[in-house]
Amino acid sequence: MSGAPGLAAMQREFAAAVTAGDADAFVAHLAGDPGRALRRLAIYRRAIAANRCGALRAAYPVVARLVGDAFFDEAARRFTHASPPREADLNRYGAGLPAFLAGYPPAAALPWLADVARLEWAWHESLMAADASPADFAALAGVSGEAQPALRFALHPSVRLVRSAWPVLAIWEANQEGRDGTAARDEGADDILVWRDGARVRLALLGAPEAGFLEAIMAGVTLGEAADRAGQWDFAPALARLAGLGLIAGFHAGDPRPA
Amino acid sequence: MPARFAPRAPHPAKAGIGLRTAHFEALAARSPALGFLEVHSENYFADGGPAIAWLERFRRDYAVSLHGVGASLGSADPLDAAHLDRLARLCERIEPALVSEHLCWSSAGGAHLGELLPLPYTEESLRHVATRVTAIQERLGRPILVENVTAYVRFASSTVPEGEFIAELARRTGCRVLLDVNNAWVNAVNHGTDARAILRAIDPATVGEIHLAGFAATEDGLVDTHGARVAADVWALYAEAVSLLGPVPTLVEWDTDLPALEVLLDEAARADAILAGARPARRVAA
């Protein structure tokens, strides 16, 4: 516990006064003219709301464009009230917005909105993920045929997979800067590979079997099990594609924690 | 292991600017002479990616100051160990010349408000902040600088003036002082107090950096927007500070309505001219 009980009580009341409720009672703690103190508290109230909403807007620019400013600001206000930031670094704030949007009644007419948000969060996380060098594939050639099914792969830290029942990649692309918002496709159930290539985050559409294979690899299952799940589908080109993009950061045989 | 960067202290009589994403390309192309670059530490907390790569690139040419907005020195919430770990990692990676935080709090009950909120200046606050500054300095293995903030409200319970509070904090913890001249001016105008009082209260030897920025005048008083040129009154107060303190690394901060890089360089040149005219140090201690 804090050794500063007076401070703790004051800060709880201050926070309530500038994020919820009304500030009238709190003004008793402040020096000077109460009316002016109330207006000064409003400076903090506006700044806090703007900072939180700004952090969400920075992470979710396509969602903001799709719904418009007024809708986004109101959704952000409700979200931040229900799920305020739990850490100081607002660059990491907003992971819960896709789930919030999925259950937000005013967004019910846009059933793909939450998936667009998931794609944007994956993009955002990918941008901030650690750097890593690709694995040494010469060593992979040394793995015997019998040992191959026991291989597990570690992917580049920036790799994300977003699976949607909607054409969210087309929607995302149509709402980038300089585009008019008209999606090139209005059909599709997009499975999207997200990764960072140098300084840039890239997105690529995957076929459903490839996405299923990647999902298994990302979950840490062995190559043998991922292949079994893929059935008749040949996983080798998918693995080669990941390797070609430099997204296989390590591999290990037999150990559940790949190097 | 060889040092990754040559040790580099900020030039004492050369102003620095805040490093903003929008200026990365222009700054890299021009490489202007600057005392140092300052960044908000939290904007480089990512494990990898372009932001930290840019900062490492600029670190090759400039001294860097890490200016934290999130350690929440005065919060009654426990110190966030994960936050301090990220700050410590960034310090190891960048080898900053200066590391600073604000004399404020920004979270209550675990919810972060993302603002630099004011403290009552009481013995309870002083003991609490001193304990936390000491803990952070031990975690980082270096002294930090603590900055006076803009306070739009003042507390009825405050028992000491801000300047004396900061001076005592520095005495108790060995922290240094980041004197924000604009904040001192904004507070003085908003509360009808003397902007020079903080200059008189602080031991000149403890001041390691000065901040300059622009404010906006509103019907509720001056608002510290960091979105305009430094005001004439603030330049005058800065000149007084420099004549009292000697040349101190000075930052031109600009965070909103960001202009072209040239405008920041122009403001920095103006600070340079004042620093160049300063008598070198009437500092009382080493």
Side-chain angles (χ1 to χ4, degrees):
Chain A
M1 260 328 282
S2 154
L7 214 47
M10 181 283 287
Q11 290 172 354
R12 274 197 307 274
E13 290 178 48
F14 194 123
V18 293
T19 57
D22 75 281
D24 289 3
F26 186 72
V27 168
H29 294 295
L30 301 175
D33 175 64
R36 196 175 63 179
L38 207 54
R39 292 196 303 278
R40 295 271 177 77
L41 278 179
I43 298 174
Y44 289 120
R45 176 192 287 271
R46 288 191 295 270
I48 291 163
N51 291 344
R52 289 175 167 182
C53 184
L56 295 174
R57 200 177 270 279
Y60 295 100
V62 173
V63 169
R65 179 169 170 180
L66 286 168
V67 300
D69 287 343
F71 186 110
F72 189 84
D73 289 351
E74 178 59 15
R77 192 184 68 78
R78 288 173 182 272
F79 173 72
T80 57
H81 188 68
S83 312
R86 307 310 292 185
E87 56 183 321
D89 180 8
L90 288 182
N91 296 307
R92 293 167 191 272
Y93 178 53
L97 191 67
F100 171 85
L101 290 173
Y104 185 50
L110 308 173
W112 32 263
L113 190 65
D115 281 1
V116 173
R118 286 203 296 130
L119 180 59
E120 291 205 277
W121 189 254
W123 191 100
H124 189 65
E125 281 192 325
S126 184
L127 185 71
M128 299 190 297
D131 300 305
S133 306
D136 170 17
F137 273 88
L140 194 57
V143 176
S144 68
E146 304 88 78
Q148 279 176 11
L151 284 173
R152 296 175 200 270
F153 294 93
L155 299 182
H156 189 280
S158 70
V159 172
R160 299 289 183 278
L161 173 67
V162 176
R163 308 197 68 176
S164 174
W166 304 91
V168 292
L169 181 60
I171 295 168
W172 185 91
E173 286 173 338
N175 287 283
Q176 295 305 297
E177 225 174 296
R179 297 283 304 272
D180 70 0
T182 309
R185 294 179 282 122
D186 56 10
E187 289 183 339
D190 290 358
D191 290 321
I192 304 151
L193 172 65
V194 181
W195 79 101
R196 196 177 70 232
D197 172 15
R200 284 183 183 282
V201 175
R202 308 278 185 193
L203 305 177
L205 212 51
L206 300 178
E210 193 172 4
F213 175 73
L214 179 62
E215 195 166 55
I217 293 292
M218 288 175 79
V221 309
T222 62
L223 184 57
E225 190 180 336
D228 286 347
R229 290 187 195 178
Q232 295 301 305
W233 180 76
D234 177 14
F235 64 81
L239 200 56
R241 177 180 181 178
L242 289 173
L245 293 170
L247 300 183
I248 295 181
F251 53 86
H252 203 276
D255 189 323
R257 295 190 142 269
Chain B
M1 202 170 89
R4 295 170 59 249
F5 295 112
R8 190 188 284 270
H11 193 293
K14 192 106 186 124
I17 61 171
L19 175 63
R20 311 298 305 187
T21 309
H23 293 155
F24 283 174
E25 303 277 358
L27 194 68
R30 293 184 50 173
S31 290
L34 286 164
F36 63 107
L37 297 175
E38 185 161 291
V39 296
H40 286 176
S41 312
E42 289 78 5
N43 286 343
Y44 298 86
F45 272 8
D47 298 311
I52 185 72
W54 273 106
L55 186 59
E56 289 189 319
R57 183 231 172 277
F58 287 120
R59 177 63 184 81
R60 290 199 298 270
D61 297 332
Y62 294 100
V64 167
S65 166
L66 297 181
H67 187 48
V69 294
S72 200
L73 297 180
S75 174
D77 287 346
L79 277 175
D80 182 341
H83 187 94
L84 293 182
D85 286 347
R86 289 195 200 101
L87 180 57
R89 275 208 305 277
L90 184 60
C91 285
E92 284 163 22
R93 195 158 172 179
I94 294 300
E95 299 183 35
L98 302 168
V99 178
S100 54
E101 288 287 341
H102 295 84
L103 180 60
C104 71
W105 62 282
S106 50
S107 80
H112 282 265
L113 298 159
E115 270 295 299
L116 308 172
L117 300 169
L119 285 163
Y121 298 124
T122 62
E123 176 57 30
E124 183 193 36
S125 295
L126 188 54
R127 264 188 281 117
H128 184 66
V129 174
T131 303
R132 289 159 71 95
V133 167
T134 299
I136 292 171
Q137 293 185 145
E138 283 173 1
R139 175 69 185 86
L140 300 180
R142 63 188 297 158
I144 62 169
L145 292 85
V146 176
E147 178 186 338
N148 58 303
V149 298
T150 308
Y152 299 114
V153 296
R154 289 181 304 156
F155 293 90
S157 59
S158 286
T159 53
V160 292
E162 179 189 32
E164 286 164 32
F165 187 97
I166 292 172
E168 181 60 21
L169 181 66
R171 271 193 289 277
R172 290 192 192 183
T173 66
C175 77
R176 308 193 74 209
V177 177
L178 196 178
L179 176 65
D180 191 311
V181 174
N182 183 59
N183 291 350
W185 179 257
V186 166
N187 287 343
V189 170
N190 283 345
H191 302 300
T193 53
D194 178 8
R196 285 147 191 90
I198 192 168
L199 298 182
R200 290 192 296 269
I202 293 169
D203 176 355
T206 61
V207 179
E209 184 184 349
I210 291 177
H211 272 184
L212 293 170
F215 56 75
T218 76
E219 58 184 9
D220 296 324
L222 304 185
V223 177
D224 180 31
T225 54
H226 294 183
R229 282 187 182 263
V230 178
D233 289 320
V234 175
W235 281 121
L237 185 61
Y238 173 63
E240 275 185 57
V242 168
S243 71
L244 192 70
L245 304 171
V248 175
T250 299
L251 178 81
V252 175
E253 285 186 295
W254 207 310
D255 297 325
T256 60
D257 290 331
L258 196 67
L261 177 63
E262 284 67 25
V263 177
L264 270 70
L265 297 177
D266 189 47
E267 293 282 271
R270 195 162 168 190
D272 282 343
I274 293 170
L275 288 168
R279 282 194 295 164
R282 275 159 57 184
R283 310 197 129 210
V284 294

